[in-house]
Amino acid sequence: MKIGIIRCQQTEDICPGTTDFVTVANQKGAFAGLGECTVMGFVSCGGCPGKRAVHRAEELRERGAEAIALASCITKGNPIGFPCPNREMMLAAIKRKLGPDFMVLEHTH
């Protein structure tokens, strides 16, 4: 399965995303039970309040993503300990745009 990951723009200068890639490769976290997955795109939300994440999710799908995952920096606040205050709104907008049959994972690890 081809995965597109959307990360927090505010953490991209301190986190290279390596845990996300390892988690996907080892079929752990949100990817457990999905079979073999590969990351086909790794983009930021576009900055607060995350409105660009919707278009970026759509673009990832257009380019071959079979699922979109919000990185754990958005959901759990890794590594800065501050989850995104716009997470629920961003998640709902992405799901609404991509439709009910498209897989959206709410975290990575």
Side-chain angles (χ1 to χ4, degrees), residues 16-104:
T18 51
T19 302
D20 296 311
F21 286 93
V22 170
T23 301
V24 171
N26 292 331
Q27 300 176 20
K28 302 287 185 186
F31 310 100
L34 296 182
E36 186 175 336
C37 295
T38 56
V39 177
M40 57 70 60
F42 191 73
V43 299
S44 80
C45 64
C48 296
K51 292 189 286 186
R52 291 183 185 143
V54 177
H55 176 70
R56 291 175 181 194
E58 188 175 35
E59 188 65 29
L60 286 165
R61 180 180 67 181
E62 292 295 319
R63 293 176 183 238
E66 298 169 290
I68 300 294
L70 293 185
S72 290
C73 49
I74 291 174
T75 303
K76 299 179 180 180
N78 300 341
I80 62 174
F82 189 80
C84 176
N86 301 301
R87 176 192 175 275
E88 291 302 321
M89 193 171 12
M90 190 183 342
L91 184 60
I94 290 170
K95 287 181 177 183
R96 193 168 42 251
K97 186 68 169 182
L98 300 181
D101 296 330
F102 194 85
M103 183 181 296
V104 178

